[in-house]
Amino acid sequence: SRLNLKGGYIFGQVPYLLLENHIGNESMFYTTGAFNTMNFFEFVSDHWASLRYEHYFQGLLMNKIPLIRKLKWRLLGSASILYGSLRQENIDIMSPVGPNGEPTLEFNGLDPDQPYIELGYGIENIFKFIRVDGVHRITYRDAPEAQKFALKVSFQFKL
């Protein structure tokens, strides 16, 4: 298993560029350091905590299937959880107003009562270096342009 915990708190009133822009991934490649169904710049926070967990089943399940056993594929599961939000003092300075009085930019903060959650599963060791993951977005599915499911590929070398 692999567990990664991160967190942070930004003191005071700061401009958008100094807030924590949570890393989204709109590419077709799986990235362990990003939220793989989150869009680029979808959420920002001034205080946050994230947890990423990956569990490798090695051959526990895949070795039970005779033809798959010869391929030596390995199953894995993953979860990514993000808690965070914006204080009102930072929300107030982030929405520039256009000539007609309407905001010209829209920024999203996370709801402090609802975390952002992704759950995934995958198969690694395909041709000894390819990994394929299916990732489901569990929360914030009703957001515009939200990617509810993503099939991602990555390349890795493991001994």
Side-chain angles (χ1 to χ4, degrees):
S1 291
R2 179 178 294 155
L3 180 67
N4 184 352
L5 295 169
K6 288 184 181 177
Y9 188 93
I10 297 172
F11 295 94
Q13 187 179 32
V14 296
Y16 172 76
L17 295 174
L18 297 178
L19 295 171
E20 176 67 18
N21 289 302
H22 302 292
I23 302 171
N25 181 11
E26 294 179 13
S27 74
M28 63 182 273
F29 298 105
Y30 183 83
T31 306
T32 56
F35 294 94
N36 286 286
T37 58
M38 184 185 289
N39 297 324
F40 296 132
F41 305 107
E42 187 173 354
F43 295 108
V44 294
S45 299
D46 57 17
H47 54 285
W48 70 96
S50 68
L51 175 135
R52 296 175 197 278
Y53 177 74
E54 286 188 337
H55 184 75
Y56 299 90
F57 292 98
Q58 302 300 348
L60 180 68
L61 301 173
M62 300 298 265
N63 283 350
K64 306 295 186 230
I65 306 168
L67 295 176
I68 301 292
R69 179 181 355 186
K70 292 183 189 251
L71 295 172
K72 297 182 181 177
W73 289 357
R74 296 185 296 254
L75 189 65
L76 60 101
S78 63
S80 297
I81 301 171
L82 172 66
Y83 278 98
S85 68
L86 284 167
R87 293 186 313 274
Q88 189 62 43
E89 64 182 328
N90 287 322
I91 293 171
D92 292 341
I93 67 168
M94 281 195 334
S95 296
V97 178
N100 58 357
E102 293 189 19
T104 57
L105 298 171
E106 184 176 325
F107 300 100
N108 297 320
L110 291 161
D111 182 353
D113 298 327
Q114 182 181 18
Y116 179 86
I117 301 173
E118 291 179 345
L119 296 177
Y121 45 85
I123 296 173
E124 65 178 5
N125 205 35
I126 302 170
F127 301 119
K128 304 289 184 205
F129 68 95
I130 298 174
R131 172 177 164 172
V132 177
D133 285 86
V135 184
H136 295 271
R137 183 174 181 153
I138 305 301
T139 57
Y140 296 96
R141 295 172 57 91
D142 57 345
E145 300 178 17
Q147 187 176 11
K148 295 172 180 62
F149 175 78
L151 192 61
K152 306 277 185 167
V153 65
S154 61
F155 306 98
Q156 61 185 9
F157 295 98
K158 285 189 174 181
L159 298 175

